[in-house]
């Protein structure tokens, strides 16, 4: 669907960052651009203009670039942290659900929007729904993986 296609850039950028495609210097630039975009976002919201701009939507360039910068920064930090085996198992389990979450998350965003009667520019949609959608989708993917044949639906 068109809704899912809009998020293809996130999937491609995430794959490139995860696979080590970018040099350290390029990753530094992505992090800096991410911080700049975040501060532009905060400035636009504080001026009352941020929630009305198309470029500021979840598929717009401001949100895209600060998401890419944040992912790059988190990847770098996590590479330097030595986690206990218990946390490693938890993070590995969570990471194994990312493709399934990517596939089904647009459905849950729409369901939550309808259920809570909010639009895409609502503060609830922007700040709370990502956590709700992630948790619900992760639980659903893990549940489906446990049923026979489920691992073929969400590898």
């Amino acid at each position: 669907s068109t809704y899912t296609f809009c998020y293809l850039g996130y999937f491609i950028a995430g794959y490139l960052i995860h696979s080590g495609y970018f040099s350290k210097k390029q990753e530094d630039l992505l992090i800096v651009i991410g911080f700049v975009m975040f501060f532009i976002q905060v400035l636009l919201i504080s001026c009352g203009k941020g929630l009305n701009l198309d470029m500021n939507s979840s598929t717009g360039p401001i949100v895209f670039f600060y998401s890419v910068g944040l992912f790059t920064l988190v990847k770098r930090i996590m590479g330097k942290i030595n986690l206990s085996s218990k946390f490693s198992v938890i993070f590995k389990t969570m990471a194994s659900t990312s493709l399934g979450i990517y596939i089904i998350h647009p459905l849950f965003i729409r369901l939550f929007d309808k259920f809570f009667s909010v639009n895409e520019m609502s503060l609830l949609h922007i700040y709370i729904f990502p956590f709700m959608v992630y948790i619900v989708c992760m639980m659903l993917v893990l549940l489906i993986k446990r049923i026979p044949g489920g691992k073929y639906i969400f590898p």
Side-chain angles (χ1 to χ4, degrees):
S1 81
T2 304
Y3 192 75
T4 302
F5 184 74
C6 293
Y7 292 95
L8 189 59
Y10 286 99
F11 181 76
I12 293 169
Y15 171 78
L16 293 175
I17 294 165
H18 175 73
S19 67
Y21 178 80
F22 298 108
S23 68
K24 184 178 181 325
K25 198 178 241 186
Q26 290 169 325
E27 284 185 353
D28 291 342
L29 181 61
L30 289 173
I31 293 169
V32 168
I33 291 170
F35 274 109
V36 169
M37 292 299 175
F38 176 76
F39 288 115
I40 289 172
Q41 169 81 13
V42 169
L43 181 65
L44 290 172
I45 289 174
S46 67
C47 293
K49 298 178 181 183
L51 297 177
N52 297 323
L53 297 174
D54 285 339
M55 67 184 283
N56 196 25
S57 74
S58 60
T59 57
I62 291 176
V63 175
F64 176 79
F65 282 111
Y66 81 64
S67 298
V68 167
L70 179 63
F71 179 70
T72 305
L73 181 63
V74 169
K75 177 189 171 250
R76 186 172 289 170
I77 290 169
M78 293 305 291
K80 294 180 181 181
I81 295 175
N82 187 9
L83 297 173
S84 70
S85 62
K86 183 179 181 180
F87 283 114
S88 294
V89 169
I90 291 169
F91 284 126
K92 184 178 178 183
T93 302
M94 290 172 64
S96 74
T97 64
S98 61
L99 178 60
I101 292 171
Y102 173 74
I103 292 169
I104 64 174
H105 83 276
L107 170 68
F108 283 92
I109 291 171
R110 287 187 178 178
L111 286 173
F112 286 167
D113 283 345
K114 285 189 186 285
F115 183 77
F116 291 101
S117 299
V118 298
N119 65 33
E120 187 179 275
M121 295 300 143
S122 155
L123 294 178
L124 179 67
H125 176 93
I126 294 169
Y127 294 109
I128 304 298
F129 280 8
F131 298 104
M132 291 172 52
V133 168
Y134 182 83
I135 290 167
V136 169
C137 289
M138 180 179 62
M139 291 173 26
L140 180 62
V141 169
L142 289 172
L143 181 68
I144 290 173
K145 283 182 162 194
R146 290 181 180 253
I147 62 173
K151 65 182 178 181
Y152 299 109
I153 296 171
F154 296 122

